[in-house]
Amino acid sequence: MRDVLLKYLPERAIDPCIELIKSNHVHLKIVNERLTRHGDYRRYPDGSHQITVNSNLNKYRFLITLIHEIAHLAAFQHYGRGIKPHGIEWKRTFQKLMLPFINPSVFPPSLLPLLARHFRNPTASSDTDAHLSIALKEYDPTTDKNYIFELPKGSVFRLRNGKIFKKGNKLTKRYECVEMATGKVFLFQPNAEVELISN
């Protein structure tokens, strides 16, 4: 298992993660990219636990995702299955499990303050924390994608699903963008990845 995880995790995180996987009796599956999620946790009727994590994540996002999913399992076991999936019990469990990893032997120093801030009140997805998400994407392989916040107002861009939008005004945190085919207005997070068509 160590040799496999070496490809996906920061080296200093491997042994503690193996311990978490074994102590929680997790079957870990590393799967092809899914556009709607980085990972998930399932408990099967026979009582076994499966966690899946996308194979295309950089090592730091992979680690956060793996601990996120183990926190679901641990929170359900400790508090019962009636808790909310991303409620206060899960948040506390995620914080506790993540704390040993938030140090410079695991994460680059530039990520540590962003992680510390995020884990004061972790969200259902690190993607909703725009500052952390953008910082984590610095460690992704290079792509031809742009972030919404980088594009000038009036730029035309395409999403992965092929829909085309025109960037409009920035509201408090998000950007209004008009879908070209329908004229409907949608709100986009600043860290949404898009393909620039024209500006």
Side-chain angles (χ1 to χ4, degrees):
M1 183 188 297
R2 191 174 208 288
D3 290 341
V4 172
L5 290 179
L6 191 59
K7 179 180 173 186
Y8 296 103
L9 288 168
E11 189 170 1
R12 294 293 293 274
I14 294 172
D15 291 335
C17 284
I18 290 172
E19 183 56 38
L20 283 171
I21 290 166
K22 287 183 175 176
S23 65
N24 288 287
H25 309 289
V26 169
H27 174 67
L28 174 64
K29 277 181 74 175
I30 299 167
V31 298
N32 291 333
E33 178 184 13
R34 294 162 294 183
L35 297 180
T36 57
R37 65 186 56 159
H38 296 306
D40 69 7
Y41 160 68
R42 288 200 178 120
R43 181 179 182 270
Y44 288 105
D46 66 1
S48 64
H49 305 283
Q50 178 180 282
I51 287 174
T52 62
V53 182
N54 291 1
S55 61
N56 66 314
L57 304 180
N58 70 51
K59 291 182 177 196
Y60 308 113
R61 192 179 292 282
F62 192 100
L63 172 59
I64 293 167
T65 302
L66 176 61
I67 302 303
H68 173 126
E69 301 306 338
I70 291 173
H72 281 302
L73 186 165
F76 284 137
Q77 286 185 327
H78 188 267
Y79 297 103
R81 305 244 7 127
I83 63 170
K84 291 182 179 177
H86 296 105
I88 190 68
E89 300 87 355
W90 170 80
K91 288 175 187 264
R92 287 186 186 139
T93 306
F94 193 15
Q95 288 167 327
K96 180 181 170 190
L97 291 176
M98 218 30 226
L99 192 60
F101 296 102
I102 301 176
N103 69 70
S105 70
V106 175
F107 285 99
S110 62
L111 289 177
L112 293 175
L114 298 169
L115 288 164
R117 193 187 72 193
H118 178 77
F119 279 97
R120 284 188 205 129
N121 185 22
T123 55
S125 171
S126 57
D127 284 346
T128 59
D129 181 337
H131 296 293
L132 177 58
S133 180
I134 290 165
L136 283 168
K137 283 180 182 166
E138 293 296 317
Y139 297 92
D140 288 347
T142 56
T143 68
D144 59 350
K145 301 290 184 196
N146 296 93
Y147 301 120
I148 290 271
F149 79 89
E150 297 174 319
L151 305 180
K153 183 179 174 185
S155 296
V156 177
F157 62 87
R158 180 183 294 120
L159 299 182
R160 288 182 181 184
N161 64 10
K163 292 184 177 180
I164 297 174
F165 293 83
K166 186 172 189 175
K167 181 180 173 181
N169 294 319
K170 183 179 182 185
L171 301 180
T172 307
K173 291 184 178 178
R174 297 183 289 177
Y175 290 89
E176 289 183 315
C177 299
V178 176
E179 185 178 6
M180 301 295 277
T182 64
K184 290 182 181 175
V185 176
F186 291 83
L187 296 178
F188 283 82
Q189 293 282 4
N191 59 315
E193 278 189 290
V194 299
E195 178 189 348
L196 177 65
I197 296 175
S198 66
N199 54 10

